[in-house]
Amino acid sequence: MKTRTRLICIANVAALLLAAAPPVRAEGDADRGEALYQGCQDCHSLDKNDVGPRHRGVFGRRAGSLPDYPYSEGLKQSGIVWDEASLDKWLSDPQALVPDAKMFYHLSQAQDRADVIAFLKERAR
Amino acid sequence: MAGNEKAMLDRRQALECMVWAGAGIIWTVAGGVPTSRLIGEAKAGETGFSFVQISDSHIGFSKPANPDARGTLKEAIDKILAIPNKPAFMIHTGDITHTAMPAQFDDAMQLIGGAGLEVHYAPGEHDILDAATNKAYLERFGKGATGGGWYSFDQAGVHFVSLVNVVDLKKNGLGYLGPDQLAWLDDDLRGKSNSTPIVVFSHIPLWMIAPEWGWGTADSAQALQLLARFGSVTVLNGHIHQLMQKVEGAVTFHTARSTAFPQPAPGTAPAPGPRLVPAGELGKFLGIAEVTYASTTSPLAIVDSALAQ
């Protein structure tokens, strides 16, 4: 009985550790990200609001915080701060992360997402 | 193998180059059978009437893929003006503007008006971004339209239907018609005989080209069901900025090029979006491609001639 309890405890601790561990993300290549960013320009640019908000300074910014862009309510209230992890989730499926998000564009490959994030982090400051 | 691959790439590149920056498509309807060819290839002695389709002019877009969307739209209009037999009218299958600003619409309509043709528009998702721009679009274009801006008209026995599938987009940006519009379509088609040629146009394709990129319409099957009894149905769309065609029974689906910038073919890029073409190569690309369309017993059949030798 004691052994069984201990095993359950070990399993629970392991599960907690797994849940807490940061997901493994691909290393980003900003050069490739810059090329991929070409495709984002149907709706975005670095310095001007377009269909979507401008991206200069997006890394580290609170989601929905530009005063001159009409975000969805959900994004404004999300509390998200854009870092590697949140951008990776967003770019995987924006409307899964924030259900009323206007954006539906996504990148299905982790490497593509990592490259675009590296570009935004390093060159869109 | 490498040689074949190169030949295929050349052909694909030629197609991509051909489709993006040219003018538009001219459609001729004779005996209820619409046929099409690229503008510039129009031949004299045609019977019936013709109309022109342009799409995705994105006025307001000014990025590396095309810093001068006004200039390429103007080029398209000039080519339309040069057609020997004046088309009866023009259709624009959406994304007239890039960000739905009134000044962009004014600019686009002034340029398009240069063709001296009546123009029938369908909105793109860049023309209706939210409730306010939807209202503005309907105020500008909605005369004679019903509900959310859908309408129909007749020309020489052909029934034209303009649908709106850019509001309330679905997963990955798939288009959506909605029950109100489908009910209207059912009613609109009810009195038409099965032999009436039907031309349906909207922005987002009404066939599933690439659902993972949103290149299709979530409830288009219901619209196509309503169209199934007709002997000749031609569906004209834009949105994907490249030529694609499919014939399914009596229905021919066709997507038009953009006058502004190209997009990648499905499966050739991680995602859709403006595609950068090397500077200086545009003119060469425009000059090298040729597509010949020929009608057969199908409602619309396209035969492409040799594109890259």
Side-chain angles (χ1 to χ4, degrees):
Chain A
M1 191 62 186
K2 213 171 180 180
T3 307
R4 186 158 177 254
T5 307
R6 191 176 294 154
L7 277 172
I8 289 169
C9 285
I10 289 168
N12 285 342
V13 168
L16 279 171
L17 283 173
L18 273 175
V24 178
R25 279 188 298 276
E27 281 292 310
D29 175 344
D31 283 338
R32 187 167 178 274
E34 187 164 11
L36 289 172
Y37 188 74
Q38 185 63 229
C40 308
Q41 294 191 32
D42 198 23
C43 293
H44 291 282
S45 63
L46 291 184
D47 294 308
K48 282 172 71 177
N49 289 340
D50 196 310
V51 174
R54 60 186 182 274
H55 276 152
R56 180 83 60 199
V58 68
F59 196 90
R61 193 159 74 200
R62 190 168 57 78
S65 64
L66 287 178
D68 56 350
Y69 180 80
Y71 297 95
S72 72
E73 274 307 307
L75 195 62
K76 281 195 279 191
Q77 304 302 325
S78 67
I80 293 168
V81 174
W82 294 123
D83 59 12
E84 280 99 344
S86 58
L87 281 169
D88 185 66
K89 281 183 190 162
W90 174 257
L91 289 171
S92 301
D93 187 344
Q95 293 176 349
L97 186 63
V98 180
D100 77 338
K102 293 180 177 181
M103 179 164 142
F104 45 77
Y105 177 100
H106 69 284
L107 291 166
S108 53
Q109 299 299 315
Q111 188 62 57
D112 295 336
R113 295 193 297 274
D115 294 346
V116 168
I117 292 165
F119 166 70
L120 292 172
K121 182 181 179 184
E122 295 171 24
R123 303 199 185 155
R125 287 184 286 186
Chain B
M1 182 65 185
N4 286 345
E5 207 167 70
K6 184 173 184 306
M8 286 172 68
L9 281 174
D10 287 347
R11 187 173 181 279
R12 177 188 291 163
Q13 284 162 353
L15 271 167
E16 286 172 352
C17 299
M18 177 277 295
V19 299
W20 81 264
I25 296 162
I26 185 161
W27 292 84
T28 303
V29 183
V33 180
T35 61
S36 67
R37 63 178 63 85
L38 291 176
I39 288 171
E41 297 297 312
K43 295 185 177 98
E46 289 164 342
T47 57
F49 73 98
S50 64
F51 64 98
V52 179
Q53 178 190 7
I54 64 169
S55 198
D56 296 88
S57 42
H58 283 265
I59 292 301
F61 183 89
S62 175
K63 295 178 189 176
N66 184 355
D68 187 15
R70 293 185 82 257
T72 47
L73 175 57
K74 174 81 168 52
E75 189 183 330
I77 298 303
D78 287 344
K79 289 189 177 181
I80 291 166
L81 284 167
I83 297 169
N85 300 320
K86 189 180 177 183
F89 58 83
M90 187 192 309
I91 65 170
H92 191 305
T93 42
D95 285 357
I96 305 156
T97 69
H98 190 61
T99 55
M101 293 170 69
Q104 294 173 354
F105 278 114
D106 291 344
D107 197 10
M109 291 180 77
Q110 189 179 5
L111 285 164
I112 293 165
L117 298 173
E118 186 184 2
V119 187
H120 301 280
Y121 292 93
E125 82 282 6
H126 282 262
D127 301 317
I128 296 178
L129 300 173
D130 51 24
T133 50
N134 196 355
K135 184 168 175 282
Y137 183 90
L138 292 177
E139 282 169 4
R140 188 183 287 263
F141 296 104
K143 289 185 189 109
T146 45
W150 42 86
Y151 61 92
S152 65
F153 61 96
D154 294 286
Q155 176 86 26
V158 179
H159 188 60
F160 290 81
V161 182
S162 177
L163 299 179
V164 178
N165 59 354
V166 296
V167 177
D168 194 13
L169 298 177
K170 299 305 177 190
K171 179 75 178 170
N172 299 332
L174 282 176
Y176 181 63
L177 295 163
D180 290 351
Q181 187 168 203
L182 288 165
W184 170 85
L185 180 63
D186 189 14
D187 189 51
D188 181 72
L189 297 172
R190 188 165 296 127
K192 307 292 174 196
S193 71
N194 292 355
S195 60
T196 306
I198 309 286
V199 175
V200 178
F201 60 101
S202 65
H203 179 64
I204 298 176
L206 290 170
W207 46 303
M208 284 294 180
I209 293 173
E212 70 281 9
W213 284 8
W215 288 5
T217 298
D219 53 356
S220 62
Q222 294 171 64
L224 296 172
Q225 198 173 8
L226 297 172
L227 293 159
R229 68 183 173 86
F230 293 96
S232 168
V233 179
T234 304
V235 179
L236 305 178
N237 304 120
H239 188 55
I240 69 169
H241 296 214
Q242 59 199 290
L243 282 179
M244 277 199 193
Q245 188 147 24
K246 182 178 82 154
V247 178
E248 194 172 295
V251 184
T252 297
F253 299 89
H254 187 103
T255 60
R257 299 163 297 169
S258 166
T259 66
F261 56 84
Q263 291 210 60
T268 64
R275 179 170 171 262
L276 195 60
V277 176
E281 294 198 12
L282 171 59
K284 181 177 74 180
F285 288 0
L286 283 174
I288 60 170
E290 178 185 347
V291 175
T292 302
Y293 297 85
S295 63
T296 67
T297 50
S298 300
L300 176 66
I302 293 182
V303 178
D304 56 356
S305 59
L307 295 169
Q309 300 295 334

